[in-house]
Every structure is written in C-alpha cells, then in structure tokens.
Amino acid sequence: MEDLSLHILDIAENSINAGAKNIEIAIIEDSSKDLLTIEIKDDGKGMDADTIANVTNPFFTTRTTRRVGLGLAFLEEAANSTGGKLRVESELTTGTKVIAEFQLSHIDRKPVGNIADTIVMILAGNPEINLRYYQENNASKFLFDTNDVKKITNEIKINSIEILKFIRQYLEENVNKINK
Amino acid sequence: MTKLKIEDLDKIAEDVRRKMTIREGGGKVKITVHMGTCGIAAGARTVMSAFLNEIDIHNIKDVIITTSGCAGLCSKEPMATVEYGEQAPVKYIELNETKVKKIFDDHVLKGKFVQEYALAIGSERIQ
Ligand SMILES: Nc1ncnc2c1ncn2[C@@H]1O[C@H](COP(=O)(O)OP(=O)(O)O)[C@@H](O)[C@H]1O
Ligand SMILES: [Mg+2]
C-alpha cells in the first residue's frame, strides 16, 4: 500500500465484511510525542481468541476466496518499520478496534494520503453505514459524521452521485493535510 | 473562497429532491469498483477517483458508483464492472486512469463497451 489512507480503506473493509453498522476512524498526530496513531473501531461481529492470535499472520484468513489474509499483516509491517506497533482488540459480538502507532517523523512512515477519497469509497459501496472520521493534531481538530449528513439528506441515499460529490469536495477542503 | 460547510449540503439535497420527482430514482449507468486488499493495493481507489473526476467533468447525474468486495482475480486488479441500461454487465481489468477515460467516453456516455479492456468472457472465476 502506498499510503496510510489506503491501509485505512482496507481495514475499514474488514469492518464492513464483519457486518459493522458503525465505524469510527481516528487519526491523531502528536508531535510532542512524535507519534501518529490511527484507530479503526467497529461494531461488527468481532473475533474469537484464536482469530485474534493469528490475525496478523499473512497466511491466516477466514475468507474462502483466497488462502492468504494480508490486510492486517501489511498494516503491522508499516507500523513496525517506523518503530511503532499494531494492536488488535476484539470481542465476539461486540466489535473490533485496530490501533496502529507510527513514529511521526520516521523516514519510513508512509504519508497519510487522500482521506477524502478513502471515505468516499467506503460510503459509495456502503451507504447504510454510520461513519465517523476524527482528526486531531496540535493545531486543529476535525470531525466528520455521516449522521450530520443524513440529517440533511434524509431519504436521499448518501451514495447518490451529487451527495458523494459534495462529501468529496467538503472533505478535500476540510481535512488537514496532516504532516503529509 | 470560503470552505464548504456541512450545511451547504442543504441546497444540493433540495436540488436532488426536486429532480427525483422527474427522473425515475436510480441511474442509467452503474459502475462497480472492486475492492479487496489486492484491488486496493493495485489502485482500486485511483480508479474510483478517476470515475468520479469524469463524472465531475461531464456533469452527469444519472450514474451510480458503488463498490464490491474482492473479485478473486487478484492479478487482474484493479477491476470495475460497468452496467449500461439493460445491457449485460462488462467487467474491465487492469485499469488505470487512461483506460477509465476511454471507458467513460465510450461505455458510460454512449453505451459502447470497450472490448480491448474487458475481461474475456468465460475467463471469469465463479465466486
Ligand atoms: N474488523 C474485523 N472484525 C472481525 N474480524 C476481522 C476484522 N478484521 C479482520 N478480521 C479477521 O481477520 C482475518 C484477517 O484479516 P485481513 O488481514 O484483513 O485479511 P482478509 O481480510 O483478506 O481475510 C479476516 O479474515 C477476519 O477473519
Ligand atoms: Mg482484509
């Protein structure tokens, strides 16, 4: 994966495959600790202890279409290569939280990339999902919540082309370019 | 220019609502971009963005853009399926921005599918 926003898209797809109705994505940049934290939390079906123990093993997947499951292994590698780490907290029927920590200034830390397009892509295929995106750094905070969108769009689907176009432009203008 | 605010969506939603009464709900063309880890790593999101850019440029509204999970054909990613009206769906493989432009001009706008970028019929794996 070229950048962290693509990892986020991939991890959020796990949440969708796990039947999540609510997904929360957070990117916290803390320059005083030289730390970049990405969290993806869902209320999907969760994992049992055996799955959690194996979840970052690239040869582990519960999918039947392919023999390898690479998504979390890729993200762990991206975090580890900066001296950071990946944590997966999950409980059956409750949901899952994936936390990836990166050394912010590390030369191997991938850029955050295009968050707007990642969110638009999640919503295009999953209009019924409630998605919250939160971003924080020392200078600013930003929250995007599809519930705020749905209060305005009501019966119009969030993945109608005009609505998606608005969300894309809105996020492009409002999401901070975190340290690239 | 001031940044967009979420309230600015109000006007757009009103507009959509007004037009919904005239047009029959959904779109004439449906574009499905395949995701999955392989698809994403190969450029599925770039393909989605390229389609959205074309939709912007041509300012068309009767189109649906959506995603689907892993298609199980990792070496052919990024892939997208285009469904034009009642015509049979066409799966396109190994996409990039240039191919998307051509598919948009020929297939999405005019209903003529682009054979050279399409997955050969029969080579599709059954999920
Ligand atoms: N959010 C989640 N909720 C429930 N199970 C998950 C979640 N994320 C990952 N898993 C489990 O971990 C496995 C490995 O995930 P991943 O590394 O992304 O590979 P893949 O999605 O290709 O199987 C999945 O097959 C699934 O069983
Ligand atoms: Mg996955």
Side-chain angles (χ1 to χ4, degrees), chain A residues 5 10 117-118 155 165 173, chain B residues 4 17 37 45 49 56:
Chain A
S5 68
D10 183 48
D117 279 359
T118 280
E155 80 288 2
K165 269 170 67 171
E173 290 180 12
Chain B
L4 277 180
R17 240 172 239 122
T37 301
R45 202 189 62 190
S49 311
D56 254 347

Side-chain angles (χ1 to χ4, degrees), chain A residues 123-150:
Chain A
L123 296 179
N126 309 280
E128 65 296 332
I129 289 249
N130 296 317
L131 183 73
R132 276 165 74 90
Y133 169 72
Y134 178 70
Q135 174 186 296
E136 186 182 321
N137 62 22
N138 298 45
S140 68
K141 291 174 182 171
F142 172 70
L143 172 71
F144 170 75
D145 187 339
T146 51
N147 281 319
D148 295 332
V149 171
K150 287 171 182 173

Side-chain angles (χ1 to χ4, degrees), chain A residues 10-20 40 42 44-47 51-52 54-58 60-63 66 68-74 88 90 95-98, chain B residues 37:
Chain A
D10 183 48
I11 301 303
E13 202 188 358
N14 283 344
S15 301
I16 288 155
N17 291 338
I40 298 115
D42 69 55
K45 67 177 183 203
M47 298 179 238
T51 305
I52 298 169
N54 285 293
V55 81
T56 59
N57 175 348
F60 178 81
T61 177
T62 58
R63 292 188 307 108
R66 217 176 52 228
V68 290
L70 294 169
L72 283 160
F74 281 167
V88 179
S90 187
T96 300
K97 192 168 169 183
V98 174
Chain B
T37 301

Side-chain angles (χ1 to χ4, degrees), chain A residues 16-114:
Chain A
I16 288 155
N17 291 338
K21 298 270 173 291
N22 296 282
I23 302 178
E24 289 178 33
I25 299 167
I27 304 183
I28 314 289
E29 182 189 351
D30 187 339
S31 44
S32 65
K33 290 187 190 146
D34 196 20
L35 186 68
L36 180 71
T37 309
I38 294 181
E39 261 187 46
I40 298 115
K41 187 179 159 206
D42 69 55
D43 61 351
K45 67 177 183 203
M47 298 179 238
D48 57 30
D50 190 45
T51 305
I52 298 169
N54 285 293
V55 81
T56 59
N57 175 348
F59 296 104
F60 178 81
T61 177
T62 58
R63 292 188 307 108
T64 50
T65 44
R66 217 176 52 228
R67 283 194 317 280
V68 290
L70 294 169
L72 283 160
F74 281 167
L75 180 58
E76 180 170 57
E77 197 204 65
N80 286 351
S81 71
T82 71
K85 59 178 187 291
L86 182 85
R87 279 184 290 145
V88 179
E89 297 167 7
S90 187
E91 207 177 309
L92 271 182
T93 73
T94 307
T96 300
K97 192 168 169 183
V98 174
I99 304 141
E101 291 178 350
F102 305 83
Q103 187 193 332
L104 187 60
S105 65
H106 198 285
I107 185 140
D108 291 328
R109 179 180 63 78
K110 296 183 193 183
V112 172
N114 193 332

